[in-house]
């Protein structure tokens, strides 16, 4: 059987992928099983900001996997300390807690915020509340989908974990009214990615920062997709000139070579966890640590944040100038752009399929938004090639 037939025959049906069977990849390019080449404008939801199979990150993976792969945290390993140092130096926080997937980092932050609320803020047992935002995406665990506003993510999966409340995204006054004595934390994506690359009004994060500081609640920035250069800054919250109390990273933290996520915060917060409170068998394993260190140094050494800022401007300018009866709005920051189509366009998926026929891989999000998020190693020539294809499809 062919790979697609095997997938259909044996795989669970929880995805509806475009019918491109990727066999290998390098940098911004991927090749299908017939040898056809595509420019990857999804970058595995920003897991491959450094480009596919970056040689330095592959080298770190191979080298470490020959030495020792997993030790569990029952013992120390020779790679973890340097990973902690690098991630703390890059983010400016004092401590780091490693997990594997993004959803696990979010779950970790939820536990952290609750324990902090009970032991530091003095919230009565069982009353801690976490505020999040409508249209959020923080992952797929039962607790996390319990506070999603997307009906499909919830339907059929209850009962859900209590203690969450949703606020309108971008509305600082609603947050001001909601943060109170029982609020452990406000959990926010600086820009909503899965929600359709929704950029909040300028100063929104700064106002959240102010409210959280005034009322002694933690501000948790979920930078799993927005972080590590995607928006033209190392972290998207820098656009608002603020520092969250807790930050979550994942996806590009390992450049796509291995699942690595992390929660960073200062000691006075992260030290509410004591031995036994939380953990993960694979979290902090030597391969993940070595791979993540390489992935972070590639971002810095190759100037990928600057490239994202510069080429993001080029792309936004050109897409905004494009005259298309289909396009309602073009928005984004850095190389993270959402092209929202009018309702009358009948959904973004057919346009993603047309782009794929022309050699460009994009994925719709929320039915009517085409998400453009190539690896940050993309060059100007490749970018213009991609923009030509998009313009062709949307102005035909
Ligand atoms: C992808 C994502 C997650 C979940 O990450 P997984 O590795 O898929 O569990 C959480 N938050 C945000 C903002 C994301 O984009």
């Amino acid at each position: 059987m062919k790979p697609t037939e095997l997938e259909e025959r044996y795989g669970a049906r929880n995805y509806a992928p475009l019918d491109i069977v990727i066999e290998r990849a390098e940098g911004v390019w991927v090749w299908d099983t017939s040898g056809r080449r595509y420019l990857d404008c999804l970058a595995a939801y920003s897991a491959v900001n450094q480009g596919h199979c970056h040689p330095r990150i592959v080298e770190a993976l191979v080298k470490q996997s020959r030495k020792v792969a997993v030790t569990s945290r029952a013992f120390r390993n020779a790679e973890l300390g340097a990973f902690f140092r690098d991630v703390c130096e890059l983010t400016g926080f004092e401590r780091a807690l490693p997990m594997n997937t993004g959803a696990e980092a979010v779950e970790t932050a939820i536990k952290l915020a609750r324990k902090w609320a009970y032991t530091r803020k003095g919230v009565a047992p069982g009353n801690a509340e976490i505020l999040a935002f409508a249209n959020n995406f923080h992952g797929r665990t039962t607790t996390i989908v319990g506070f999603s506003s997307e009906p499909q993510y919830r339907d059929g999966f209850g009962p859900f974990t209590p203690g969450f409340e949703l606020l309108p995204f971008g509305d600082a006054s609603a947050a001001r009214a909601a943060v109170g004595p029982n609020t452990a934390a406000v959990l926010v994506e600086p820009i909503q990615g899965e929600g359709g690359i929704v950029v909040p009004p300028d100063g929104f994060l700064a106002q959240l920062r102010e409210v959280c500081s005034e009322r002694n609640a933690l501000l948790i920035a979920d930078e799993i997709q927005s972080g590590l250069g995607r928006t033209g800054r190392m972290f998207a919250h820098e656009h608002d000139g603020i520092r969250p109390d807790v930050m979550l990273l994942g996806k590009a933290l390992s450049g796509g070579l291995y699942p690595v996520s992390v929660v960073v915060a200062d000691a006075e917060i992260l030290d509410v966890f004591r031995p036994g409170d939380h953990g993960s068998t694979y979290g902090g394993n030597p391969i993940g640590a070595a791979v993540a260190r390489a992935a972070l140094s590639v971002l810095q050494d190759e100037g990928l944040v600057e490239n994202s800022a510069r080429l993001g401007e080029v792309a936004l300018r050109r897409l905004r100038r494009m005259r298309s009866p289909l396009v309602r709005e073009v928005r984004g920051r850095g190389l993270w752009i959402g092209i929202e189509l009018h309702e009358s366009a009948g959904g973004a998926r057919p346009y993603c399929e047309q782009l794929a026929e022309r050699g460009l891989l994009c994925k719709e999000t929320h039915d009517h938004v085409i998400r453009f998020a190539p690896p940050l190693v993309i060059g100007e020539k490749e970018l213009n090639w991609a923009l030509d294809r998009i313009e062709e499809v949307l102005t035909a």
Side-chain angles (χ1 to χ4, degrees):
M1 275 194 262
K2 292 194 175 117
T4 305
E5 290 165 357
L6 286 167
E7 273 194 31
E8 294 298 316
R9 168 72 180 77
Y10 295 107
R13 303 297 168 90
N14 57 326
Y15 275 95
L18 289 183
D19 262 324
I20 313 288
V21 184
I22 298 170
E23 193 171 48
R24 74 191 169 87
E26 194 184 311
V28 298
W29 300 102
V30 304
W31 285 264
D32 71 10
T33 43
S34 66
R36 183 152 185 226
R37 187 174 84 152
Y38 301 84
L39 183 64
D40 179 3
C41 292
L42 180 62
Y45 302 100
S46 292
V48 286
N49 285 0
Q50 298 88 338
H52 286 277
C53 300
H54 192 289
R56 276 178 57 197
I57 313 175
V58 170
E59 174 67 19
L61 175 77
V62 170
K63 209 170 136 208
Q64 187 57 42
S65 61
R66 293 208 166 100
K67 286 163 78 181
V68 57
V70 179
T71 55
S72 87
R73 301 278 311 268
F75 311 108
R76 297 184 188 270
N77 76 66
E79 299 301 312
L80 187 53
F83 167 65
F84 284 160
R85 177 199 59 207
D86 288 2
V87 91
C88 286
E89 282 181 3
L90 179 74
T91 59
F93 287 93
E94 291 170 359
R95 293 211 198 290
L97 191 160
M99 298 295 283
N100 312 283
T101 64
E104 288 173 299
V106 174
E107 289 276 351
T108 303
I110 290 167
K111 285 175 70 176
L112 176 67
R114 286 178 167 184
K115 191 163 184 202
W116 175 86
Y118 298 127
T119 59
R120 299 290 197 274
K121 182 167 172 170
V123 174
N127 285 349
E129 225 171 54
I130 291 173
L131 304 177
F133 293 91
N135 199 42
N136 70 68
F137 183 83
H138 296 289
R140 299 288 206 159
T141 65
T142 34
T143 287
I144 294 171
V145 299
F147 63 90
S148 172
S149 58
E150 174 64 45
Q152 198 201 347
Y153 294 175
R154 300 165 48 94
D155 281 355
F157 303 120
F160 298 115
T161 312
F164 297 90
E165 198 192 310
L166 291 187
L167 303 171
F169 186 64
D171 181 350
S173 59
R176 186 163 286 281
V179 177
N182 287 335
T183 308
V186 175
L187 170 63
V188 66
E189 296 161 87
I191 291 175
Q192 291 184 327
E194 297 311 295
I197 325 285
V198 183
V199 183
D202 281 342
F204 174 59
L205 285 195
Q207 287 174 287
L208 289 184
R209 172 69 283 172
E210 202 178 283
V211 180
C212 287
S213 298
E214 273 172 30
R215 316 260 170 89
N216 194 27
L218 301 178
L219 181 62
I220 305 174
D222 180 347
E223 295 255 16
I224 290 166
Q225 194 166 161
S226 60
L228 302 173
R230 180 47 64 188
T231 69
R233 296 286 186 94
M234 186 58 85
F235 306 111
H237 66 256
E238 293 172 34
H239 291 286
D240 264 32
I242 61 127
R243 181 178 190 262
D245 299 301
V246 179
M247 176 163 64
L248 317 179
L249 297 174
K251 296 198 167 114
L253 181 55
S254 56
L257 268 297
Y258 204 88
V260 182
S261 64
V262 75
V263 176
V264 290
D266 283 342
E268 60 165 342
I269 295 166
L270 212 37
D271 284 357
V272 305
F273 281 145
R274 290 196 313 255
D277 277 354
H278 192 59
S280 161
T281 303
Y282 276 86
N285 72 77
I287 289 186
V291 162
R293 287 185 65 205
L296 292 179
S297 75
V298 165
L299 275 180
Q300 295 172 288
D301 296 349
E302 298 190 5
L304 299 186
V305 183
E306 296 74 16
N307 198 51
S308 175
R310 189 176 71 82
L311 294 186
E313 280 294 312
V314 171
L316 258 180
R317 210 176 314 125
R318 181 153 165 210
L319 289 170
R320 283 184 170 144
R321 247 194 353 242
M322 176 176 70
R323 294 193 176 278
S324 162
L326 300 168
V327 175
R328 192 166 159 243
E329 189 188 25
V330 174
R331 54 180 181 251
R333 266 195 180 137
L335 282 170
W336 210 26
I337 297 173
I339 305 168
E340 182 172 340
L341 306 183
H342 287 293
E343 294 287 338
S344 57
R349 174 126 180 167
Y351 300 99
C352 291
E353 284 166 0
Q354 289 178 42
L355 287 168
E357 282 163 22
R358 288 167 171 76
L360 198 88
L361 296 187
C362 286
K363 180 79 170 77
E364 77 277 6
T365 176
H366 269 222
D367 295 340
H368 52 279
V369 181
I370 301 173
R371 163 186 6 214
F372 180 75
L376 307 183
V377 292
I378 194 169
E380 191 152 359
K381 222 176 99 200
E382 296 154 330
L383 179 75
N384 283 320
W385 184 87
L387 295 171
D388 288 344
R389 298 293 158 301
I390 292 173
E391 197 160 338
E392 214 174 282
V393 164
L394 293 181
T395 59

